[in-house]
Amino acid sequence: MLKNILSVIGAIAIIGIIVAYISFGPKVSKLDPAAIGLYMQMAEDVMNTGDAAASMVKVVPLEEGVSTEDAIESIKSVAAENNMLIVNDTIMFRSGEKDYAGNTTRHVQIISLCNKQIAREFMDYSKAFGAFMPCRIILMEGKDGAYYLATMKLDLMIAGGHPLTPEMHKMALKVADTMYEAVDKGAKGDW
C-alpha cells in the first residue's frame, strides 16, 4: 500500500515538473543566467524578514563620528569622480521639527544622481527604466537616533530579465558600483 502511495506521489511530482517546464521553460531560458538566483535570494529575504522593500535596498550605518555633512560631501565626491551629476539634493525632514500632524520628525535627505548618457541608453532600451531614474541615496535618522545611508540594490535591474547587451551591462555595472561606493564611502565620511 505504501509503495503504491509513493508511486502516485512520484508520478504527480513528475507530471508537475513536466507541466512547469512546458509552461515556463522557454521563457526562463531567455532570462539572464543570474536571474533565477536573484529572484530566489529575494524571495528568501522576504520570507525571512517579511519586508519586501528591505530585500531590494542596501543600508549602511554611518560610522561613529561621521557627520551628515561629511557623508553628503563623500557622496558628492564619489559622484563627481564617476561622471554622475547630482540632479537633486532635498531635505524632506529636519531632525526635531514638527510635521503637519505635530509629530517630531527625524532627519531625511535624498540625493539624486544620474549620468545622462547612460540614462538615455537605458530609456531607449525600455521606457520602464525611466521610472527608476535618477538613482537615489537617502540619508536618514533611524528611530534609534543613528544615521543610515540607503540605496536600491540594482542586481535585478541588471540581470533580472533578458540579458542586456555587453555595452549596456558594462554601463549598468558602472552605475551600480558608483552607487554602492557612494554609500560605503559616505558611511565612512571618506572623501
Side-chain angles (χ1 to χ4, degrees), residues 29-136:
S29 68
K30 293 179 183 177
L31 295 177
D32 188 289
I36 298 301
L38 291 170
Y39 287 114
M40 296 294 286
Q41 181 62 54
M42 182 181 175
E44 183 178 333
D45 291 346
V46 172
M47 284 187 251
N48 288 336
T49 66
D51 188 346
S55 71
M56 296 183 280
V57 177
K58 174 183 172 117
V59 179
V60 180
L62 263 60
E63 291 184 2
E64 190 174 327
V66 175
S67 70
T68 57
E69 293 81 10
D70 285 343
I72 297 299
E73 283 305 314
S74 181
I75 291 167
K76 290 179 178 181
S77 175
V78 170
E81 290 170 6
N82 289 281
N83 199 28
M84 299 278 282
L85 296 173
I86 304 295
V87 294
N88 198 10
D89 181 354
T90 302
I91 296 177
M92 288 184 57
F93 303 108
R94 294 185 193 281
S95 186
E97 290 183 344
K98 300 287 184 184
D99 66 11
Y100 66 92
N103 300 312
T104 302
T105 61
R106 293 184 304 274
H107 187 84
V108 176
Q109 184 171 353
I110 301 171
I111 308 293
S112 301
L113 309 146
C114 192
N115 176 303
K116 289 182 179 182
Q117 179 184 353
I118 293 173
R120 184 179 58 247
E121 294 278 339
F122 275 82
M123 286 191 294
D124 285 349
Y125 177 77
S126 168
K127 291 181 281 297
F129 275 107
F132 293 91
M133 294 177 193
C135 297
R136 290 171 298 283

